[in-house]
Amino acid sequence: MTALKEKKGSVAAHVVMGVMALYFLLPFWWLLVAATKDNDGLFGSAPLWFADFHLIDNLKLVFTSEDGIYLTWLRNSAMYAVLSGIGATVVSALAGYAFAKLRFPGRGALFALLLGLIMVPATALVLPTYLLMAQLDLVDTIWAVILPALLNPFGVYLLRVYTHDSIPDEMLEAARIDGAGEFRVFRSVALPAMRPALVTVLLFSMVASWNNFFLPLVMLSDNQLYPLTVGLRTWYMSATIGNGGAALFNVIVAGSLVAIIPLIAAFLLLQRYWRGGLTVGAVK
Amino acid sequence: MSTDVKIESAAAPAAAGPAPANKHRHWREATAGWLFVLPFAVLLVAFLLLPMAYAFKLSLYRSTLVEGEVFAFADNYQQAFADPLFREGVVRVVLFGLVQTPVMIGIALLAALLIDHATSRFSRVFRLAAFVPYAVPVVIGTLMWGFLYSQETGPFKFDFLSSDVVLGSLGNIVTWQWAGYNMIVLYAALQGLPREIYESAKIDGAGAVQIAVRIKTPMIASALVLATLFTIMGTLQFFTEPLILQPLNPGAITQHYTPNVYAYNQAFSFQQYNYSAAISFLLGAVVFVGSYIFLFATRKRSALR
């Protein structure tokens, strides 16, 4: 009896999971199908099934519209993601290590401040940061997008927790006794041991930057500096409002597909680190 | 051999007080500590404290054509409290949060309980499927749903963007994008529970559903609290989704749809920087204080140390 009941329960669980999976995957399926249609097909054919195959034409259009500005946006997104990702990781690694392993006056106070500031809402800071940067004439440069993204209080917190738990003090002490300076101890002993957490912070910072919209939207007015998110939105705006000469919907759809492929690939390859990051941050 | 000597001096600070070598070490460590946190501290000041202070200062001024910047004290804040457009946005995000947060956390919890219960190949595939939307930029997730909502390009013959239902439609996008993220957080918490408890509950005759509702869910309360907190914080700052879908129905998604959209439009459509700064500051303060109250009220359950 119980075995039968358990089997029934398992079937029910899988049915529910199946329905939910359909919901989560529906927009991706639509995107995949829609990217193969031309603009007429997008409006005239069944939305969830293939019609004429125009994927190659669409991709060509994506990369040639407006003198290939999409490629510039793609490059910008990649550049912003890499520079802010690496920068934020380096800054967080230094600070996280210091908070975990070095005794210095003011450490407790500064860390308490950090914990409080994690609560400051990111988007409420965008306009104030813009107003300040406008005063300093830094608006509409790549630095206006990259520099604020280097600040990652949560990354510091995560690396502090990880370093505190995973690197024994004796290991650092041994290196010091061997005559290594503090930076040397950090670089050759601590840093290699911090690697899994560093990858996690790097991944999260890069994705946050790749997905960022509000900050570059506010900071940049030169469309040669736009990242993909802001660029695609301008295409979408002009296509929706329909002020002539603008990009067509099929270009936006194919452009969206191209934009999410790197992320999904990274996500599938680096799953371990995603889960690690979420776990350390939320459940610890 | 010289290392042995150093070990002694480091391990045993003699009765005569800290040895000079030790003092030197402390000083060296303190200097290193400060140098290591310096870049972070500079960024913290430059991109968090300074903007906040500057926005606060701006919010206390009013720019006039005749006199330029004039100190106005709380005028901008008074204006905000009396501004029906701002109030409308605040009421909207609060209402949105009250409905969307429990729905999404509920879906995330159900999904987490399911993958914790079923250990099949499909449950692993499902875990991926639910989490993938999180990897998609909000802009692109919103664009996709915009196409799906449209009666011309989407499969549904229903106007998802009419003013009656558009808030729900926006809520669906947020739920779709973040439920999987919260699911992973809750799932990780479930994985951390000791399995033996389930065995004794089973012997007492509890079914899988009972175990999920009565044992597993209460035991991950701290993770639920944090997931709820982050969702509420995000909700109050609601911005990208309404801004992207605005051109589809400007009548329903107004320029003051949420406080953040309102602040953005005040700054960039109307050049009302002082008023915009006041709204941003107010919004930031509300989210900040709200998070603290929430964490304080639930501190026994929460895990933030």
Side-chain angles (χ1 to χ4, degrees):
Chain A
M1 268 311 274
T2 37
L4 186 70
K5 216 171 132 190
E6 249 174 44
K7 194 162 182 198
K8 264 191 189 164
S10 173
V11 170
H14 280 84
V15 170
V16 177
M17 281 194 281
V19 172
M20 286 168 95
L22 283 181
Y23 166 67
F24 288 118
L25 295 178
L26 171 76
F28 294 106
W29 172 251
W30 173 84
L31 186 67
L32 206 63
V33 170
T36 66
K37 294 176 182 173
D38 61 11
N39 211 48
D40 294 335
L42 213 49
F43 287 88
S45 64
L48 296 177
W49 199 247
F50 299 96
D52 299 325
F53 192 80
H54 293 285
L55 181 61
I56 309 295
D57 300 337
N58 287 340
L59 290 177
K60 268 187 207 151
L61 272 174
V62 166
F63 288 105
T64 53
S65 292
E66 294 180 45
D67 300 326
I69 198 162
Y70 183 90
L71 203 61
T72 308
W73 293 340
L74 192 67
R75 262 207 314 267
N76 290 342
S77 272
M79 176 180 69
Y80 298 149
V82 168
L83 290 182
S84 6
I86 293 176
T89 308
V90 169
V91 171
S92 307
L94 285 167
Y97 170 77
F99 281 127
K101 295 293 174 192
L102 296 174
R103 274 154 302 170
F104 56 93
R107 175 174 81 160
L110 192 61
F111 191 69
L113 179 71
L114 178 153
L115 279 185
L117 294 178
I118 286 182
M119 295 286 163
V120 173
T123 62
L125 278 173
V126 169
L127 285 172
T129 308
Y130 166 81
L131 297 171
L132 193 70
M133 288 231 166
Q135 286 294 305
L136 303 172
D137 266 334
L138 278 171
V139 164
D140 218 15
T141 65
I142 61 167
W143 304 111
V145 178
I146 293 173
L147 290 178
L150 296 183
L151 178 65
N152 184 356
F154 196 71
V156 176
Y157 173 74
L158 195 144
L159 286 172
R160 193 207 82 109
V161 171
Y162 186 87
T163 308
H164 187 82
D165 294 348
S166 67
I167 303 179
D169 289 334
E170 293 77 26
M171 217 162 97
L172 306 173
E173 204 50 48
R176 288 191 187 115
I177 288 159
D178 285 347
E182 289 300 331
F183 187 74
R184 183 79 199 280
V185 174
F186 168 72
R187 212 193 55 202
S188 18
V189 182
L191 217 48
M194 290 164 79
R195 210 162 76 197
L198 289 173
V199 176
T200 303
V201 172
L202 179 69
L203 206 60
F204 273 87
S205 319
M206 284 177 75
V207 169
S209 175
W210 183 274
N211 290 355
N212 203 352
F213 171 68
F214 197 8
L215 184 76
L217 173 76
V218 163
M219 292 292 180
L220 305 173
S221 49
D222 177 359
N223 68 359
Q224 292 292 323
L225 296 178
Y226 283 176
L228 274 173
T229 49
V230 179
L232 281 173
R233 188 232 175 192
T234 57
W235 274 2
Y236 187 67
M237 288 278 282
S238 46
T240 319
I241 298 166
N243 48 0
L248 295 166
F249 286 108
N250 59 327
V251 183
I252 298 165
V253 171
S256 300
L257 182 68
V258 174
I260 65 172
I261 285 173
L263 280 169
I264 294 184
F267 161 66
L268 292 175
L269 286 172
L270 301 165
Q271 274 187 70
R272 187 154 80 85
Y273 296 104
W274 289 101
R275 260 179 289 145
L278 293 171
T279 324
V280 175
V283 191
K284 188 74 202 159
Chain B
M1 273 292 106
S2 67
T3 48
D4 289 341
V5 179
K6 274 186 190 161
I7 285 174
E8 258 168 38
S9 70
N22 224 8
K23 209 172 167 186
H24 172 74
R25 242 224 41 208
H26 280 201
W27 183 82
R28 209 183 66 168
E29 198 179 316
T31 317
W34 269 108
L35 284 177
F36 277 41
V37 292
L38 189 66
F40 174 70
V42 168
L43 287 168
L44 198 69
V45 171
F47 296 110
L48 219 155
L49 297 178
L50 269 183
M52 269 162 55
Y54 186 64
F56 184 62
K57 188 200 142 204
L58 271 183
S59 72
L60 299 178
Y61 284 78
R62 180 172 287 276
S63 100
T64 57
L65 272 179
V66 187
E67 295 164 275
E69 296 271 302
V70 194
F71 186 71
F73 193 51
D75 279 9
N76 287 315
Y77 292 97
Q78 257 169 9
Q79 187 191 337
F81 286 122
D83 185 344
L85 298 182
F86 177 63
R87 283 214 297 242
E88 198 188 304
V90 171
V91 170
R92 187 173 286 116
V93 290
V94 169
L95 177 77
F96 181 80
L98 286 177
V99 177
Q100 194 265 334
T101 305
V103 168
M104 181 181 63
I105 299 292
I107 291 176
L109 178 63
L110 175 63
L113 288 168
L114 285 170
I115 50 174
D116 187 58
H117 172 72
T119 42
S120 61
R121 183 184 294 264
F122 182 77
S123 73
R124 281 194 295 278
V125 174
F126 170 67
R127 195 171 68 195
L128 275 180
F131 191 47
V132 170
Y134 168 72
V136 175
V138 174
V139 171
I140 293 177
T142 307
L143 286 180
M144 295 199 291
W145 279 103
F147 281 105
L148 283 166
Y149 285 156
S150 154
Q151 293 185 70
E152 290 169 313
T153 55
F156 311 105
K157 298 288 163 253
F158 178 77
D159 187 7
F160 284 95
L161 295 160
S162 71
S163 40
D164 297 336
V165 296
V166 70
L167 193 57
S169 305
L170 290 166
N172 171 58
I173 302 176
V174 178
T175 303
W176 175 80
Q177 196 124 39
W178 292 93
Y181 174 92
N182 288 302
M183 172 195 76
I184 298 289
V185 170
L186 300 177
Y187 173 65
L190 286 171
Q191 293 278 293
L193 299 179
R195 301 257 134 192
E196 305 84 64
I197 303 177
Y198 312 149
E199 286 309 315
S200 47
K202 250 187 214 167
I203 293 166
D204 287 346
V209 175
Q210 268 182 314
I211 292 177
V213 174
R214 300 247 178 105
I215 298 176
K216 290 181 177 177
T217 305
M219 285 190 79
I220 57 161
S222 68
L224 278 167
V225 164
L226 273 188
T228 306
L229 175 70
F230 287 129
T231 307
I232 292 172
M233 283 169 70
T235 299
L236 292 172
Q237 303 171 60
F238 203 26
F239 175 76
T240 304
E241 295 87 347
L243 194 79
I244 299 287
L245 293 189
Q246 206 169 25
L248 292 185
N249 190 355
I253 307 175
T254 53
Q255 296 228 319
H256 54 271
Y257 199 72
T258 73
N260 235 342
V261 171
Y262 192 44
Y264 171 78
N265 282 318
Q266 283 295 322
F268 294 98
S269 308
F270 307 111
Q271 272 71 48
Q272 297 290 326
Y273 293 111
N274 301 88
Y275 191 43
S276 168
I279 294 175
S280 279
F281 200 82
L282 208 55
L283 179 67
V286 168
V287 176
F288 185 77
V289 172
S291 326
Y292 256 98
I293 291 175
F294 187 79
L295 272 186
F296 185 76
T298 57
R299 69 191 182 287
K300 280 194 191 129
R301 303 244 152 131
S302 101
L304 259 200
R305 293 176 300 176

